[in-house]
Amino acid sequence: MTSFKGLLIRNIKIYFKDKIFFFTSLITPLILLFLFIAFLNQTYRNIILSFFPSTGDVSSSLVNGYSGCFLLSSIMSVTSVTVSFSTNLLSVQDKYRGQLSDFNSTPISRVILSISYYFSSVISTLIICSITLIISFIYISIVGWYISFIDVLGIILVTIILIFFGTSLSSLINLFLKTEGQVTAITVIISSGYGFLAGAYMPLSETNTILRRILMFLPGTYGSIAMKNHALSGCINEFSSLNMPSEAIDKLKYVSDISLDFFGMDVSLLACYLVLICSTLVFLALFIVLSKFRKTSARL
């Protein structure tokens, strides 16, 4: 336990000691937040306005609140995963800098060493995502707040699960990386493509049937769906109070990715949680097992 604590503190200190790297990891989701507000805000507004014959049928606060909540769900479902790939770089850096060889020559077990990298990445990612989430909540409180306390807790819970999911996935991938170029390539690919693959940037309902069915096999998609359920349910309930036809409400849930199906079976919020948690545990178990039994020459 003493070795683990020491390694954990060491890894976290190294990450935050590099001010430029930390600032880059933090500013990336904030830039994404700005881009969403600048370029996709009107797209989300148009989704809602298309359900009403005139803009006078719904308050601007509710429309802006829906857009802001969709933005929050997109930002957090992407940031929680992609930032973990940045905060988890130390394990590979130690590998190509030769420091991992020094650790392997000590009595510290490979599992303890690997888990220290894992939890230091979780803690660092949690700090960055907490800052992003607070800023997102402030933005929503300005444009229109319709999120219940229970859903706030749900958003926080899904964020935490996604952080563990992203760290488990990045830790597993990093086992097979040995150079800085490989790390950079993987990080760029994940950062640029994950949001589209998880259905976070645009509703899955806007994609064609074949692509949507493919994306429904990816665990990250269920994180995005769960986040949207918690972020948008308050707005949906408010729309229901406007005496909208039940068919319109069902359609609104569908285009908001709240009500989706997997080959004809409805995807519930509980199912999203189960897929995320099970996927996280599987990736984490593979990471631990491979960390323990990979050859010394592979260095983790």
Side-chain angles (χ1 to χ4, degrees):
M1 181 57 70
T2 302
S3 299
F4 170 76
K5 182 179 179 180
L7 288 169
L8 183 67
I9 294 174
R10 174 253 182 192
N11 295 340
I12 295 175
K13 282 184 176 180
I14 289 178
Y15 173 74
F16 285 103
K17 186 177 181 180
D18 190 339
K19 298 296 190 299
I20 296 179
F21 189 64
F22 168 69
F23 180 75
T24 302
S25 299
L26 178 61
I27 200 66
T28 299
L30 299 183
I31 292 176
L32 191 59
L33 177 64
F34 170 77
L35 293 177
F36 266 73
I37 295 174
F39 298 103
L40 288 180
N41 181 56
Q42 189 59 45
T43 300
Y44 299 150
R45 286 173 53 87
N46 291 338
I47 291 176
I48 287 300
L49 295 177
S50 65
F51 284 85
F52 297 90
S54 67
T55 56
D57 293 331
V58 59
S59 68
S60 59
S61 174
L62 183 53
V63 175
N64 291 331
Y66 171 91
S67 175
C69 288
F70 205 111
L71 180 150
L72 178 147
S73 66
S74 300
I75 291 291
M76 295 313 302
S77 58
V78 172
T79 299
S80 302
V81 175
T82 56
V83 170
S84 68
F85 277 81
S86 297
T87 60
N88 210 6
L89 291 179
L90 182 60
S91 61
V92 184
Q93 289 176 341
D94 282 351
K95 190 183 300 183
Y96 62 72
R97 290 172 180 172
Q99 291 174 306
L100 193 57
S101 298
D102 297 334
F103 285 129
N104 286 334
S105 64
T106 67
I108 301 174
S109 71
R110 294 184 185 179
V111 173
I112 294 297
L113 182 58
S114 299
I115 293 299
S116 70
Y117 287 126
Y118 179 88
F119 278 100
S120 64
S121 177
V122 166
I123 294 172
S124 299
T125 305
L126 183 60
I127 292 173
I128 293 176
C129 287
S130 296
I131 296 173
T132 305
L133 184 58
I134 290 172
I135 294 175
S136 299
F137 278 148
I138 292 174
Y139 171 75
I140 293 176
S141 67
I142 295 174
V143 299
W145 184 278
Y146 293 90
I147 307 176
S148 68
F149 177 72
I150 297 298
D151 283 323
V152 169
L153 295 180
I155 291 171
I156 295 173
L157 178 59
V158 175
T159 299
I160 293 173
I161 295 174
L162 280 172
I163 289 173
F164 276 94
F165 167 77
T167 306
S168 298
L169 180 60
S170 62
S171 297
L172 183 61
I173 293 175
N174 285 350
L175 284 177
F176 304 94
L177 304 181
K178 298 180 180 179
T179 66
E180 187 173 5
Q182 292 174 345
V183 172
T184 301
I186 292 296
T187 302
V188 170
I189 291 173
I190 295 296
S191 299
S192 59
Y194 179 82
F196 294 99
L197 294 177
Y201 293 155
M202 291 297 292
L204 291 171
S205 57
E206 297 295 316
T207 61
N208 63 66
T209 303
I210 296 177
L211 179 59
R212 183 164 62 251
R213 288 181 175 178
I214 293 175
L215 295 180
M216 293 299 287
F217 281 98
L218 304 179
T221 301
Y222 295 89
S224 177
I225 295 174
M227 192 71 76
K228 290 174 184 176
N229 265 271
H230 288 299
L232 295 171
S233 61
C235 292
I236 299 297
N237 292 336
E238 191 68 22
F239 284 120
S240 299
S241 67
L242 299 177
N243 297 319
M244 289 178 62
S246 58
E247 295 81 5
I249 294 296
D250 291 339
K251 178 64 175 177
L252 181 58
K253 290 181 178 179
Y254 176 74
V255 300
S256 302
D257 288 348
I258 292 179
S259 178
L260 291 174
D261 66 271
F262 181 76
F263 291 92
M265 297 181 294
D266 292 334
V267 177
S268 65
L269 182 58
L270 177 60
C272 293
Y273 275 103
L274 290 175
V275 170
L276 270 181
I277 294 174
C278 291
S279 300
T280 300
L281 293 176
V282 169
F283 290 147
L284 179 57
L286 287 173
F287 168 63
I288 294 175
V289 171
L290 291 176
S291 297
K292 182 177 182 179
F293 294 105
R294 279 175 65 83
K295 295 180 180 180
T296 303
S297 60
R299 296 181 182 176
L300 271 179

